[in-house]
Amino acid sequence: MKAMVFAAGLGTRLRPITDSLPKALVPVCGEPLLYHTLHKLKAAGYTDVVVNIHHFPEMIREYLDSNEFGIRIGISDESEKLLETGGGIQHARKLLEPLNEPFLVHNVDIVSNLDIAWFRSQMKPGALASLLVSERKTQRYLLFRPEDMRLVGWTNIATGEVRSPYPDLDASACLRFAFAGIHNISPAIFQAFETLDMPERFPIMDFYLTACARYPIYGVVAPNLELVDVGKIDTLPEAERICERLL
């Protein structure tokens, strides 16, 4: 099975740590975030993983070269130009192929107790993607149809903004969940990128919000999920607490 780890981000909200270190190598429980992600993927049965790099790329290369993870690791180099999440997946296509089943995408800064094998089993037949979502408090939420958790839009509850390919969408009638940075994606997404004429550089969420009227994209809520997005310095203690319980 194949997976991709987003490790190219600048980690600006983790400064000053990321002034001299890529976010992927920020330590949690004595090991880099990338270590925890790769070991979690291996434990879930993934044998081929692509890691994208941009910020301090040589440091990540050196770390991967000097450690044995027991899986095949390919590097999708974005050191010349950061392609964002959607462009990053598109750029990594040749490293991911051949694909005959869905592949997992995991943000390197997500620390959780997610049972990845369970999450993989929740992907519905014919789905273009399944997005892990949670009930955590935020200002920005994805919107889903109550009857089947199909993605229909996005909202910022602070501003009242709604984005959706459905012009008459009633956001108040939708279920609201926060995206958790982990998704299962069908190989058909590459054809969808071409069909919708996606540019070289784009966020994957922009694609999902454009494509959800044409392609089935679903949200998945994991029971008893503990998850932290290590995006700010003050989130590191919570990441440590989750990590310690998993060790």
Side-chain angles (χ1 to χ4, degrees):
M1 293 186 295
K2 298 183 179 182
M4 181 175 183
V5 176
F6 285 147
L10 300 176
T12 53
R13 294 179 298 160
L14 280 171
R15 286 175 175 166
I17 298 174
T18 49
D19 286 338
S20 58
L21 193 71
K23 179 167 61 174
L25 299 186
V26 170
V28 171
C29 290
E31 296 286 357
L33 286 166
L34 184 56
Y35 169 94
H36 295 293
T37 304
L38 291 176
H39 276 271
K40 191 173 182 69
L41 291 173
K42 180 184 177 183
Y46 288 88
T47 56
D48 294 80
V49 178
V50 174
V51 178
N52 72 343
I53 58 174
H54 173 79
H55 187 51
F56 294 115
E58 292 309 315
M59 293 181 71
I60 297 178
R61 284 184 183 274
E62 182 179 347
Y63 174 74
L64 292 173
D65 287 343
S66 60
N67 288 272
E68 177 57 55
F69 292 97
I71 55 176
R72 289 181 289 275
I73 299 175
I75 293 178
S76 182
D77 194 338
E78 298 177 31
S79 54
E80 292 187 3
K81 183 180 182 181
L82 188 60
L83 299 174
E84 299 197 43
T85 49
I89 294 171
Q90 188 167 242
H91 186 68
R93 178 175 183 173
K94 290 184 179 179
L95 292 172
L96 290 165
E97 290 180 332
L99 283 167
N100 54 18
E101 62 182 352
F103 62 99
L104 184 87
V105 174
H106 196 302
N107 290 4
V108 77
D109 54 5
I110 296 297
V111 176
S112 79
N113 66 346
L114 177 69
D115 182 338
I116 291 181
W118 173 87
F119 176 59
R120 185 170 62 237
S121 73
Q122 299 305 297
M123 189 159 185
K124 296 180 180 180
L128 187 71
S130 289
L131 318 182
L132 180 69
V133 295
S134 70
E135 297 183 23
R136 66 182 172 88
K137 291 183 179 180
T138 182
Q139 291 184 344
R140 296 173 293 276
Y141 289 96
L142 295 176
L143 301 172
F144 298 92
R145 290 195 314 209
E147 62 268 28
D148 60 2
M149 281 292 288
R150 179 164 173 167
L151 180 68
V152 291
W154 171 96
T155 187
N156 184 324
I157 61 171
T159 64
E161 179 187 2
V162 174
R163 292 176 55 194
S164 173
Y166 300 96
D168 299 322
L169 181 72
D170 179 2
S172 66
C174 298
L175 297 177
R176 299 188 314 198
F177 292 99
F179 179 49
I182 303 173
H183 26 157
N184 273 318
I185 301 176
S186 165
I189 200 167
F190 295 110
Q191 181 59 54
F193 288 162
E194 295 175 9
T195 299
L196 295 179
D197 196 24
M198 301 306 295
E200 179 186 23
R201 182 176 186 267
F202 64 97
I204 191 61
M205 195 53 64
D206 284 0
F207 166 78
Y208 287 151
L209 292 172
T210 298
C212 63
R214 183 182 299 197
Y215 302 98
I217 299 167
Y218 298 96
V220 175
V221 181
N224 304 312
L225 179 67
E226 294 182 76
L227 180 146
V228 61
D229 176 349
V230 188
K232 298 179 182 179
I233 296 291
D234 60 8
T235 59
L236 284 170
E238 178 60 21
E240 292 270 350
R241 284 192 289 270
I242 293 175
C243 175
E244 287 171 358
R245 287 196 290 271
L246 297 175
L247 291 177

